[in-house]
Amino acid sequence: MKPVRTLLSSLSFKIAVVSLISAQAAGFLPSATFTPAAHAAESAPAVTPGPSVKATWVWYTAEAFKNMDTTFSQMQANGVNLVYLQQDVDIPNGQYAAFIKRARSLGIEVHALAGEPNWILPDKQIKMYKFIDWVKQYNLSVSPDERYTGIHLDVEPFTTKEWNQNQDAMLGYWRDTITGFVQESKTETGLPTGADIPFWLYKFDIPDGQGGRTTLSRFMIGQLDSTTLMAYRDNTAEITDVASKELNEAEALGKPMLLSVETSPNPDSFITFYGKGRTKLNTVMGDLNEKMKNLKSYKGYAVHEFSAWTQMGD
């Protein structure tokens, strides 16, 4: 294991670098050159999502662990084959190992999940780096069939007060957070990276780090191994419409993308399937898979989030 003093020194250095670059609001940190560690090679390959990929977020990890029989029965009934599992440091590693081992035996991959809206702020990013290190250390401590096969970031800074106070700075922080996330996740392990992004990021024009300009969505899609686009609408036509720009960017970059939908309550009913029944959800997502089947970048869909999804009526 990496000594604690070495970890803290490394984290402090990374925060300093990110703060400096964000303040300058120019370019981005270059991609790291890495050699995957031996333990990464032993792990099963990360999901290479095909058209039938069906993912979900598990935000209530302790609840999911209470009765794994029920949890996995619900996942299998819904065809889940990829889970974003929130990190909860209060849960013993042995419970994660048991969950992941059982999931893998059922053909379900598990990616570590964490994130808070303010993690893009320079003085908060250490939390992200601690999360990444926790995943690395966990993977080193367990057997290959108990390891995460990916790491997933959910950071939505547009919900913070700082977003409205200084959007230009926040865009720079967000860009640099994704860069730092990918670099640190890849270092020593080559761990596949993914993140959630909203469908409207194409509207923001940023420096591409090579003297040109690009959209924030294209930059993030290019940095990450895969992207989950929050295309929160309740019908196939509108999901397709709001996702079109980022799907085209992913297609051009040769990067996989999942489209996600919402099942939790929301005052804007058109963005969620809450209260509309499982039958409608399945019909819409089946139509979406059919409509997108010839698009190489489209690899399936994700349903947010697991507990709300499983409580839906027919």
Side-chain angles (χ1 to χ4, degrees), residues 35-53:
T35 302
H39 72 271
E42 294 171 359
S43 300
V47 163
T48 304
S52 61
V53 165

Side-chain angles (χ1 to χ4, degrees), residues 112-155:
L113 166 69
E116 295 290 344
N118 65 4
W119 277 17
I120 74 164
L121 299 175
D123 63 341
K124 302 294 184 182
Q125 284 191 9
I126 192 168
K127 295 181 179 180
M128 180 184 74
Y129 289 111
K130 285 182 176 179
F131 161 58
I132 296 169
D133 192 74
W134 180 90
V135 174
K136 290 181 177 181
Q137 299 304 330
Y138 167 82
N139 272 5
L140 283 168
S141 71
V142 297
S143 62
D145 60 350
E146 297 168 339
R147 291 174 184 154
Y148 290 106
T149 54
I151 185 168
H152 196 86
L153 189 67
D154 183 281
V155 174

Side-chain angles (χ1 to χ4, degrees), residues 71-85:
T71 296
F72 284 113
S73 176
Q74 291 170 332
M75 287 182 177
Q76 288 185 288
N78 287 289
V80 172
N81 54 20
L82 175 59
V83 170
Y84 305 137
L85 181 66

Side-chain angles (χ1 to χ4, degrees), residues 162-313:
E162 290 86 356
W163 180 262
N164 293 322
Q165 293 172 349
N166 192 342
Q167 193 173 92
D168 286 344
M170 294 293 281
L171 290 171
Y173 293 152
W174 201 358
R175 175 199 59 197
D176 295 337
T177 298
I178 293 297
T179 301
F181 170 68
V182 172
Q183 284 190 321
E184 183 61 20
S185 297
K186 295 292 186 185
T187 301
E188 300 175 355
T189 67
L191 198 63
T193 59
D196 307 321
I197 66 171
F199 65 78
W200 39 260
L201 281 194
Y202 70 88
K203 296 179 181 180
F204 296 104
D205 183 72
I206 64 167
D208 64 4
Q210 300 174 346
R213 309 287 296 183
T214 189
T215 65
L216 183 56
S217 54
R218 185 183 178 96
F219 174 83
M220 291 185 178
I221 293 165
Q223 290 282 300
L224 297 157
D225 291 305
S226 64
T227 309
T228 302
L229 187 73
M230 296 183 285
Y232 290 173
R233 292 294 185 268
D234 65 356
N235 63 83
T236 306
E238 291 187 20
I239 293 169
T240 303
D241 180 54
V242 300
S244 61
K245 296 288 196 304
E246 279 86 359
L247 277 170
N248 287 335
E249 291 176 334
E251 191 81 358
L253 293 166
K255 290 296 186 79
M257 176 173 284
L258 300 181
L259 301 187
S260 65
V261 293
E262 180 67 272
T263 62
S264 299
N266 193 287
D268 295 321
S269 64
F270 64 91
I271 74 169
T272 180
F273 284 89
Y274 178 78
K276 298 167 188 175
R278 193 185 308 272
T279 300
K280 178 177 180 178
L281 171 64
N282 291 341
T283 299
V284 169
M285 302 320 289
D287 290 346
L288 184 68
N289 274 346
E290 180 63 25
K291 189 169 185 176
M292 296 288 182
K293 66 182 181 181
N294 294 322
L295 194 63
K296 292 181 180 179
S297 59
Y298 176 75
K299 301 302 181 182
Y301 64 89
V303 179
H304 187 271
E305 49 82 34
F306 180 66
S307 63
W309 183 16
T310 56
Q311 291 171 26
M312 291 181 74

